Amino acid sequence: MKIKSVIISTLLLLTVSLNGQKNDELLKQAQDCANKSDYPCAIKATQKLIKKETDKHKIAIYYSNLGTFQRRIGKREDAIKSYDQAIKADPTLIMAFTNRATLNAQMDNREAAFADYESALRLDSLDATALINRASLYDKMGEYDKSANDLAKLIAADPKNFKARSNLALTKSHKGNLEEALNDLSQLIIEYPTEAILHNNKADVLMKLNRLDEALQEANMAIFLDEKYVTGQVTKGEILMKLGKIEEAKAQLDLAVKLGFPQAEADKILSSK
């Protein structure tokens, strides 16, 4: 049940050259604050930076960054307004459209999300962020063929794109093509053996195929690679439940709750047997 796709939000900080030491210092401050997850500090520095900047393209980038900082502390309406300002300052800034689209999707404003993805793809028909995130939204809506089409288009242009290939495997799984999904995930693990998300997703597919011992091995590997990976902890708990190891499952889900998994969801899993 706990299977995870890759969603992309874009943040651009230090790829734009600046004129003036003060702007340079503000930009570095915003980055340092963001790296420490001190988003109120990053917001304050970015707002000052916007007031000082005169180049519209740079202003657009800073507004897009501001929106991303705001959404990370739950200020979604403020974030939408910041993305609006970014697009107003530079209507060709693709990341502003994709960031606003992803936030609209999270807020269940799907029509607005699809409109923004379309705008981004008109600017670049192979933009990876737009295609991957739109595919994830299609997948969430159960429109698996449309999801697969977006991902296949990107993979055709970029055969090594990890995110697109891993998400396509999930779409196949959701559509019920479990063996095909399993083969895709196994190949990806050969290429990217240290990606915990791949081992977790393979465990989930194996669990659906009732190959529980193999599923448990993959879940253990996911946790070994990232012991704070909440989804991996939950997947292992679900597998243990199916194996009839109730106490071990409870202990595993307790670990997941300590890492931030909702207690109500853990209780639902424990009562599912």
Side-chain angles (χ1 to χ4, degrees):
M1 184 175 78
K2 290 297 166 186
I3 192 160
K4 189 173 180 64
S5 61
V6 181
I7 304 292
I8 307 171
S9 61
T10 309
L11 186 66
L12 184 61
L13 286 173
L14 286 178
T15 59
V16 180
S17 60
L18 292 171
N19 296 318
Q21 185 64 28
K22 289 183 179 179
N23 282 13
D24 211 12
E25 290 172 357
L26 284 169
L27 186 58
K28 185 178 185 305
Q29 182 183 356
Q31 183 192 40
D32 290 343
C33 292
N35 288 341
K36 298 173 185 175
S37 298
D38 185 353
Y39 297 116
C41 169
I43 288 169
K44 187 176 181 180
T46 304
Q47 287 172 332
K48 289 180 180 178
L49 187 57
I50 289 168
K51 289 179 180 179
K52 291 178 176 292
E53 188 54 68
T54 57
D55 183 281
K56 285 190 175 182
H57 178 67
K58 295 175 184 177
I59 290 171
I61 291 172
Y62 301 146
Y63 266 121
S64 184
N65 289 349
L66 178 62
T68 299
F69 297 144
Q70 289 165 329
R71 71 193 285 186
R72 289 179 180 173
I73 58 173
K75 293 187 175 182
R76 291 181 167 184
E77 296 298 333
D78 287 344
I80 290 289
K81 292 177 182 177
S82 293
Y83 293 139
D84 290 346
Q85 289 297 319
I87 292 166
K88 182 179 179 180
D90 184 356
T92 68
L93 187 64
I94 292 175
M95 75 173 184
F97 285 106
T98 56
N99 283 342
R100 190 173 69 178
T102 304
L103 180 53
N104 272 318
Q106 292 172 353
M107 297 168 68
D108 287 327
N109 298 328
R110 292 178 176 175
E111 185 176 348
F114 280 121
D116 277 340
Y117 287 134
E118 286 293 334
S119 295
L121 291 167
R122 278 196 295 271
L123 293 166
D124 180 357
S125 63
L126 289 174
D127 182 75
T129 300
L131 287 170
I132 288 172
N133 289 0
R134 188 173 72 172
S136 294
L137 182 54
Y138 278 136
D139 185 275
K140 183 179 179 181
M141 296 168 63
E143 297 189 29
Y144 302 126
D145 289 338
K146 290 182 179 180
S147 176
N149 286 341
D150 273 354
L151 296 170
K153 180 179 179 180
L154 181 56
I155 292 167
D158 182 8
K160 292 294 184 181
N161 190 298
F162 166 78
K163 296 181 179 69
R165 291 171 65 199
S166 59
N167 282 12
L168 182 57
L170 298 195
T171 294
K172 290 177 180 179
S173 171
H174 297 159
K175 194 175 179 180
N177 299 333
L178 297 178
E179 292 291 349
E180 191 175 350
L182 184 61
N183 289 337
D184 288 354
L185 288 165
S186 296
Q187 179 59 41
L188 280 164
I189 286 171
I190 291 172
E191 298 176 39
Y192 306 96
T194 60
E195 291 286 346
I197 187 175
L198 294 177
H199 292 278
N200 173 78
N201 291 349
K202 185 176 179 180
D204 187 89
V205 173
L206 287 165
M207 180 169 54
K208 289 175 180 175
L209 289 167
N210 206 35
R211 292 161 60 175
L212 299 180
D213 290 336
E214 294 171 78
L216 186 59
Q217 289 178 5
E218 292 295 338
N220 282 332
M221 179 57 72
I223 295 168
F224 173 77
L225 291 168
D226 184 357
E227 63 182 14
K228 294 184 178 180
Y229 183 32
V230 178
T231 305
Q233 301 282 358
V234 174
T235 299
K236 183 176 178 179
E238 291 178 313
I239 295 166
L240 290 168
M241 282 293 294
K242 288 183 176 294
L243 286 167
K245 299 180 179 181
I246 310 302
E247 291 304 316
E248 290 182 46
K250 185 178 184 304
Q252 197 67 47
L253 290 167
D254 284 344
L255 288 175
V257 170
K258 289 178 182 178
L259 291 171
F261 188 67
Q263 182 65 60
E265 292 297 316
D267 291 342
K268 187 183 298 184
I269 294 169
L270 290 169
S271 64
S272 63
K273 188 172 176 63

mmCIF file of all heavy atoms in Angstrom, residues 6-23:
data_model
loop_
_atom_site.group_PDB
_atom_site.id
_atom_site.type_symbol
_atom_site.label_atom_id
_atom_site.label_comp_id
_atom_site.label_asym_id
_atom_site.label_seq_id
_atom_site.Cartn_x
_atom_site.Cartn_y
_atom_site.Cartn_z
ATOM 1 N N VAL A 6 7.968 9.921 -7.305
ATOM 2 C CA VAL A 6 8.822 11.088 -7.159
ATOM 3 C C VAL A 6 8.092 12.305 -7.677
ATOM 4 O O VAL A 6 7.672 12.359 -8.826
ATOM 5 C CB VAL A 6 10.142 10.895 -7.936
ATOM 6 C CG1 VAL A 6 11.032 12.111 -7.761
ATOM 7 C CG2 VAL A 6 10.865 9.646 -7.481
ATOM 8 N N ILE A 7 7.910 13.305 -6.825
ATOM 9 C CA ILE A 7 7.334 14.580 -7.219
ATOM 10 C C ILE A 7 8.441 15.621 -7.124
ATOM 11 O O ILE A 7 9.234 15.613 -6.190
ATOM 12 C CB ILE A 7 6.175 14.991 -6.291
ATOM 13 C CG1 ILE A 7 5.123 13.884 -6.254
ATOM 14 C CG2 ILE A 7 5.568 16.309 -6.725
ATOM 15 C CD1 ILE A 7 4.390 13.687 -7.528
ATOM 16 N N ILE A 8 8.466 16.539 -8.074
ATOM 17 C CA ILE A 8 9.555 17.494 -8.135
ATOM 18 C C ILE A 8 9.040 18.895 -7.848
ATOM 19 O O ILE A 8 8.083 19.352 -8.449
ATOM 20 C CB ILE A 8 10.219 17.486 -9.521
ATOM 21 C CG1 ILE A 8 10.640 16.067 -9.912
ATOM 22 C CG2 ILE A 8 11.417 18.424 -9.547
ATOM 23 C CD1 ILE A 8 11.095 15.956 -11.345
ATOM 24 N N SER A 9 9.681 19.583 -6.903
ATOM 25 C CA SER A 9 9.496 21.024 -6.764
ATOM 26 C C SER A 9 10.852 21.668 -7.017
ATOM 27 O O SER A 9 11.881 21.125 -6.644
ATOM 28 C CB SER A 9 8.970 21.405 -5.378
ATOM 29 O OG SER A 9 9.870 21.013 -4.380
ATOM 30 N N THR A 10 10.854 22.813 -7.651
ATOM 31 C CA THR A 10 12.085 23.403 -8.128
ATOM 32 C C THR A 10 12.448 24.631 -7.324
ATOM 33 O O THR A 10 11.621 25.498 -7.086
ATOM 34 C CB THR A 10 11.953 23.795 -9.612
ATOM 35 O OG1 THR A 10 11.460 22.672 -10.331
ATOM 36 C CG2 THR A 10 13.288 24.222 -10.188
ATOM 37 N N LEU A 11 13.716 24.689 -6.922
ATOM 38 C CA LEU A 11 14.241 25.822 -6.176
ATOM 39 C C LEU A 11 15.548 26.218 -6.829
ATOM 40 O O LEU A 11 16.430 25.393 -7.041
ATOM 41 C CB LEU A 11 14.480 25.428 -4.716
ATOM 42 C CG LEU A 11 14.909 26.520 -3.745
ATOM 43 C CD1 LEU A 11 13.783 27.538 -3.583
ATOM 44 C CD2 LEU A 11 15.253 25.911 -2.399
ATOM 45 N N LEU A 12 15.679 27.477 -7.182
ATOM 46 C CA LEU A 12 16.890 27.958 -7.840
ATOM 47 C C LEU A 12 17.438 29.122 -7.046
ATOM 48 O O LEU A 12 16.782 30.130 -6.869
ATOM 49 C CB LEU A 12 16.567 28.404 -9.275
ATOM 50 C CG LEU A 12 17.721 28.855 -10.149
ATOM 51 C CD1 LEU A 12 18.727 27.728 -10.327
ATOM 52 C CD2 LEU A 12 17.209 29.321 -11.499
ATOM 53 N N LEU A 13 18.676 28.940 -6.538
ATOM 54 C CA LEU A 13 19.230 29.989 -5.701
ATOM 55 C C LEU A 13 20.521 30.591 -6.247
ATOM 56 O O LEU A 13 20.604 31.766 -6.520
ATOM 57 C CB LEU A 13 19.478 29.462 -4.281
ATOM 58 C CG LEU A 13 18.223 29.266 -3.436
ATOM 59 C CD1 LEU A 13 18.577 28.580 -2.143
ATOM 60 C CD2 LEU A 13 17.548 30.594 -3.160
ATOM 61 N N LEU A 14 21.525 29.796 -6.429
ATOM 62 C CA LEU A 14 22.843 30.338 -6.702
ATOM 63 C C LEU A 14 23.281 30.221 -8.154
ATOM 64 O O LEU A 14 24.460 30.324 -8.442
ATOM 65 C CB LEU A 14 23.879 29.654 -5.800
ATOM 66 C CG LEU A 14 23.843 30.090 -4.339
ATOM 67 C CD1 LEU A 14 24.869 29.332 -3.536
ATOM 68 C CD2 LEU A 14 24.075 31.581 -4.184
ATOM 69 N N THR A 15 22.352 30.034 -9.072
ATOM 70 C CA THR A 15 22.750 29.899 -10.471
ATOM 71 C C THR A 15 22.630 31.222 -11.217
ATOM 72 O O THR A 15 22.860 31.275 -12.411
ATOM 73 C CB THR A 15 21.872 28.855 -11.166
ATOM 74 O OG1 THR A 15 20.516 29.261 -11.074
ATOM 75 C CG2 THR A 15 22.040 27.501 -10.516
ATOM 76 N N VAL A 16 22.254 32.278 -10.516
ATOM 77 C CA VAL A 16 22.104 33.577 -11.162
ATOM 78 C C VAL A 16 23.155 34.526 -10.619
ATOM 79 O O VAL A 16 23.269 34.717 -9.405
ATOM 80 C CB VAL A 16 20.700 34.162 -10.893
ATOM 81 C CG1 VAL A 16 20.554 35.511 -11.566
ATOM 82 C CG2 VAL A 16 19.625 33.204 -11.365
ATOM 83 N N SER A 17 23.962 35.126 -11.494
ATOM 84 C CA SER A 17 24.974 36.072 -11.033
ATOM 85 C C SER A 17 24.302 37.372 -10.618
ATOM 86 O O SER A 17 23.318 37.809 -11.209
ATOM 87 C CB SER A 17 25.988 36.348 -12.146
ATOM 88 O OG SER A 17 25.346 36.894 -13.266
ATOM 89 N N LEU A 18 24.836 38.009 -9.603
ATOM 90 C CA LEU A 18 24.218 39.215 -9.055
ATOM 91 C C LEU A 18 25.168 40.394 -9.128
ATOM 92 O O LEU A 18 26.392 40.226 -9.039
ATOM 93 C CB LEU A 18 23.823 38.984 -7.595
ATOM 94 C CG LEU A 18 22.697 37.998 -7.349
ATOM 95 C CD1 LEU A 18 22.584 37.727 -5.879
ATOM 96 C CD2 LEU A 18 21.400 38.541 -7.886
ATOM 97 N N ASN A 19 24.610 41.579 -9.252
ATOM 98 C CA ASN A 19 25.392 42.796 -9.154
ATOM 99 C C ASN A 19 25.199 43.370 -7.769
ATOM 100 O O ASN A 19 24.084 43.539 -7.308
ATOM 101 C CB ASN A 19 24.924 43.823 -10.201
ATOM 102 C CG ASN A 19 25.165 43.346 -11.612
ATOM 103 O OD1 ASN A 19 26.216 42.778 -11.882
ATOM 104 N ND2 ASN A 19 24.207 43.560 -12.498
ATOM 105 N N GLY A 20 26.319 43.652 -7.100
ATOM 106 C CA GLY A 20 26.208 44.288 -5.797
ATOM 107 C C GLY A 20 26.406 43.322 -4.663
ATOM 108 O O GLY A 20 25.793 42.263 -4.632
ATOM 109 N N GLN A 21 27.256 43.705 -3.735
ATOM 110 C CA GLN A 21 27.579 42.841 -2.607
ATOM 111 C C GLN A 21 26.367 42.577 -1.725
ATOM 112 O O GLN A 21 26.178 41.477 -1.221
ATOM 113 C CB GLN A 21 28.699 43.479 -1.780
ATOM 114 C CG GLN A 21 29.208 42.628 -0.638
ATOM 115 C CD GLN A 21 29.866 41.351 -1.120
ATOM 116 O OE1 GLN A 21 30.405 41.317 -2.226
ATOM 117 N NE2 GLN A 21 29.805 40.305 -0.328
ATOM 118 N N LYS A 22 25.501 43.573 -1.542
ATOM 119 C CA LYS A 22 24.362 43.401 -0.650
ATOM 120 C C LYS A 22 23.413 42.318 -1.178
ATOM 121 O O LYS A 22 22.921 41.483 -0.413
ATOM 122 C CB LYS A 22 23.621 44.723 -0.473
ATOM 123 C CG LYS A 22 24.405 45.756 0.356
ATOM 124 C CD LYS A 22 23.602 47.015 0.578
ATOM 125 C CE LYS A 22 24.375 48.019 1.415
ATOM 126 N NZ LYS A 22 23.624 49.286 1.628
ATOM 127 N N ASN A 23 23.152 42.338 -2.480
ATOM 128 C CA ASN A 23 22.301 41.306 -3.055
ATOM 129 C C ASN A 23 22.940 39.934 -2.911
ATOM 130 O O ASN A 23 22.266 38.944 -2.623
ATOM 131 C CB ASN A 23 22.042 41.607 -4.534
ATOM 132 C CG ASN A 23 20.997 42.688 -4.731
ATOM 133 O OD1 ASN A 23 20.640 43.382 -3.793
ATOM 134 N ND2 ASN A 23 20.523 42.833 -5.949
#
